[in-house]
Amino acid sequence: MNTDFDYIIVGAGAAGLMLANSLGKDSFFKTKKILLIDKDKKEENDRTWCFWEKGEGEFDSILFKNWKRIQFLAKDFSLDKEITPYAYKMLKGSDFYTFMLEKIQAYPNISFQLGTVLNITEQQNLVEVEIDTATLKAKKVFNSIFDVSFVKNQTKYPLIQQHFVGWVIRSKKPIFNSQSPTFMDFSIPQKGNTRFIYILPFSDTEGLIEYTLFSAKTLEKEEYELAIKQYITEVLGCDSYELLEKEKGNIPMTSYDFNSQNSQNILHIGLAGGWAKASTGYTFKKTQKKTKELISFLKVNKPLDTFSGKDKYWFYDLLLLDILYKNNAAGSIIFESLFKNCSPQILLKFLDEETSLSEDLKVISSCPSSYFIKALFQRIL
Ligand SMILES: Cc1cc2nc3c(=O)[nH]c(=O)nc-3n(C[C@H](O)[C@H](O)[C@H](O)COP(=O)(O)OP(=O)(O)OC[C@H]3O[C@@H](n4cnc5c(N)ncnc54)[C@H](O)[C@@H]3O)c2cc1C
């Protein structure tokens, strides 16, 4: 077995696969020997990915569904609007893994190794990666194993979790609006937290319903499932349905300085690198963007811990998370104000971190100002 590589990518999830594919297709890296390692074969459909984008995208050929509208609901407010030029796109995890692994296996300089990574240690000018069957060496390692203890063992930046359970159901009668996913439905009891229902309607009788919280603590499994059942019967008015699939997730929402875990030759990527949008948990599209940036960065051969810095969006997210950490019930009020006062297009652009300063001000001024002024003073004083 070959044990020396230029790059080792640890984890063949969203970030690892996107990075391996981007390195493989770029002729600049064709002389680099690259290894991708995962403990899993990546054959399960373990998650549903959604993201929005304008026009055609890299994954259009494997999309499961794509919508031109979104809905937002609260107790006394609702909207259902077109989001053009954006589309809200959905991918099944298993389709993404197959699509990416097929591409990666065709690159002669990249190999895939099944193995559990036990340790990653930086030596002088090389990194040792210990797996269950061997010790491997690389000049640079890109690590997507997320160790939440780094975030938990500090108090400077609060950790909120986006935790959810989702059910894919098929009903006898039509209960879904197949044209319009529900981005957030805050009409459900908040119980002192930020709680909402997220719906991806595949047809008028089939869809994914997720009970989601942005909060510091997770719930017992039964509590998520009871809330989904109640929503199906009480809000969607359906008492006859089949449960087809379940999914669950927990995405960190934090402004923690993930770069502090990086070194000259080890870079954390994906969730482990802080590539989740801290205020929403959306990670897929940000990982695509970050991967592109990383490919350009690798061509100039700088130490990996100089890859990323903080920007204005990092600060906006920090303020929102400070608010939600101290007053977890504020989420529904803030998101309702945003959707009442801004178009979905400007909100999506803002969440994509592509707005101008004047657009930022429009979004920020549409939130209840008292929360943000207080959070701002608490951070700067
Ligand atoms: C159910 C679910 C739904 C989501 N939906 C969305 C969405 O709609 N939109 C969005 O933008 N984001 C979504 N996310 C968030 C985010 O996009 C995903 O978590 C994404 O998979 C993160 O990519 P990653 O590469 O950082 O981690 P992962 O995709 O989890 O990849 C990490 C890889 O490391 C491997 N691994 C872990 N430990 C070891 C080890 N010791 N040795 C070897 N391999 C190891 C794992 O097997 C895994 O393949 C969702 C997350 C979940 C859990």
Side-chain angles (χ1 to χ4, degrees):
M1 183 188 172
N2 210 328
T3 57
D4 292 332
F5 297 90
D6 289 295
Y7 300 156
I8 292 181
I9 301 171
V10 176
L17 289 171
M18 284 189 204
L19 179 58
N21 183 43
S22 300
L23 290 167
K25 70 182 178 192
D26 190 324
S27 60
F28 182 88
F29 300 98
K30 70 172 187 262
T31 57
K32 303 277 182 208
K33 257 175 66 189
I34 302 167
L35 180 71
L36 175 64
I37 309 174
D38 204 292
K39 60 183 166 67
D40 193 269
K41 286 188 181 155
K42 307 307 291 180
E43 288 169 343
E44 302 267 306
N45 186 34
D46 60 355
R47 65 203 58 192
T48 303
W49 272 302
C50 277
F51 53 94
W52 53 90
E53 70 184 347
K54 288 182 188 167
E56 287 174 12
E58 194 183 342
F59 302 108
D60 281 3
S61 63
I62 51 162
L63 288 184
F64 180 73
K65 189 90 189 157
N66 120 42
W67 297 270
K68 304 266 183 294
R69 311 177 67 83
I70 56 167
Q71 294 189 56
F72 175 90
L73 296 119
K75 253 204 156 78
D76 306 309
F77 171 74
S78 69
L79 67 76
D80 181 345
K81 278 197 174 159
E82 273 204 16
I83 54 168
T84 36
Y86 295 98
Y88 197 63
K89 302 184 175 182
M90 175 191 155
L91 271 178
K92 285 192 171 192
S94 50
D95 292 338
F96 173 79
Y97 301 138
T98 308
F99 180 70
M100 296 301 270
L101 284 169
E102 264 175 29
K103 281 174 182 260
I104 290 162
Q105 272 150 14
Y107 302 124
N109 58 329
I110 306 186
S111 41
F112 180 74
Q113 163 92 39
L114 205 55
T116 299
V117 172
L118 306 172
N119 239 318
I120 302 174
T121 39
E122 174 133 16
Q123 313 284 359
Q124 260 188 347
N125 290 329
L126 68 89
V127 184
E128 263 187 19
V129 177
E130 188 192 342
I131 61 170
D132 38 359
T133 50
T135 299
L136 312 168
K137 294 187 186 83
K139 291 184 184 136
K140 296 198 186 301
V141 167
F142 304 95
N143 181 11
S144 66
I145 301 178
F146 180 49
D147 181 355
V148 76
S149 66
F150 293 125
V151 189
K152 285 188 171 159
N153 293 339
Q154 55 84 49
T155 49
K156 196 168 174 194
Y157 302 110
L159 171 66
I160 303 252
Q161 312 181 67
Q162 181 189 142
H163 47 111
F164 53 89
V165 167
W167 280 10
V168 176
I169 64 159
R170 185 184 297 131
S171 58
K172 285 228 165 88
K173 63 173 191 181
I175 56 167
F176 296 112
N177 172 355
S178 63
Q179 302 304 310
S180 192
T182 302
F183 204 65
M184 291 170 144
D185 181 350
F186 278 108
S187 66
I188 58 170
Q190 295 295 293
K191 302 183 181 175
N193 300 121
T194 297
R195 300 181 183 225
F196 61 91
I197 291 280
Y198 172 75
I199 302 179
L200 297 176
F202 309 152
S203 71
D204 55 5
T205 54
E206 205 172 304
L208 169 72
I209 303 173
E210 258 171 25
Y211 185 66
T212 307
L213 283 89
F214 292 172
S215 70
K217 290 201 176 103
T218 55
L219 308 176
E220 293 298 322
K221 181 177 162 230
E222 294 72 31
E223 201 176 332
Y224 303 92
E225 299 205 328
L226 181 66
I228 296 174
K229 280 186 206 160
Q230 277 173 343
Y231 192 85
I232 296 171
T233 49
E234 292 167 21
V235 181
L236 299 178
C238 170
D239 44 27
S240 179
Y241 60 89
E242 210 183 321
L243 175 57
L244 304 179
E245 273 170 50
K246 288 185 181 184
E247 78 167 27
K248 64 178 178 155
N250 189 336
I251 307 169
M253 300 170 73
T254 178
S255 294
Y256 170 71
D257 179 13
F258 284 84
N259 195 37
S260 60
Q261 298 307 320
N262 297 329
S263 63
Q264 268 207 324
N265 298 309
I266 303 175
L267 182 78
H268 291 76
I269 58 171
L271 287 187
W275 292 4
K277 171 81 177 153
S279 55
T280 61
Y282 279 95
T283 316
F284 189 84
K285 180 109 168 282
K286 194 156 171 185
T287 297
Q288 237 182 321
K289 263 191 188 172
K290 283 283 185 190
T291 304
K292 237 186 202 165
E293 280 172 42
L294 179 56
I295 291 294
S296 306
F297 177 83
L298 289 176
K299 292 181 181 174
V300 294
N301 202 22
K302 285 190 185 157
L304 292 180
D305 52 7
T306 58
F307 173 55
S308 53
K310 293 169 184 162
D311 60 12
K312 60 180 181 177
Y313 298 101
W314 172 84
F315 192 66
Y316 302 154
D317 286 350
L318 173 66
L319 294 185
L320 179 70
L321 293 175
D322 279 352
I323 295 167
L324 294 183
Y325 192 72
K326 292 198 174 112
N327 179 2
N328 198 228
S332 65
I333 302 159
I334 293 171
F335 285 103
E336 183 176 338
S337 304
L338 285 169
F339 276 92
K340 257 184 188 160
N341 298 314
C342 298
S343 69
Q345 285 84 350
I346 197 165
L347 291 178
L348 297 178
K349 190 174 176 193
F350 182 72
L351 296 178
D352 270 344
E353 308 187 339
E354 289 173 353
T355 36
S356 64
L357 200 57
S358 63
E359 288 169 322
D360 296 349
L361 290 174
K362 161 121 188 71
V363 174
I364 294 166
S365 64
S366 65
C367 294
S369 55
S370 57
Y371 290 116
F372 282 87
I373 291 166
K374 202 169 151 202
L376 179 66
F377 276 106
Q378 280 170 344
R379 267 293 159 189
I380 57 178
L381 291 180

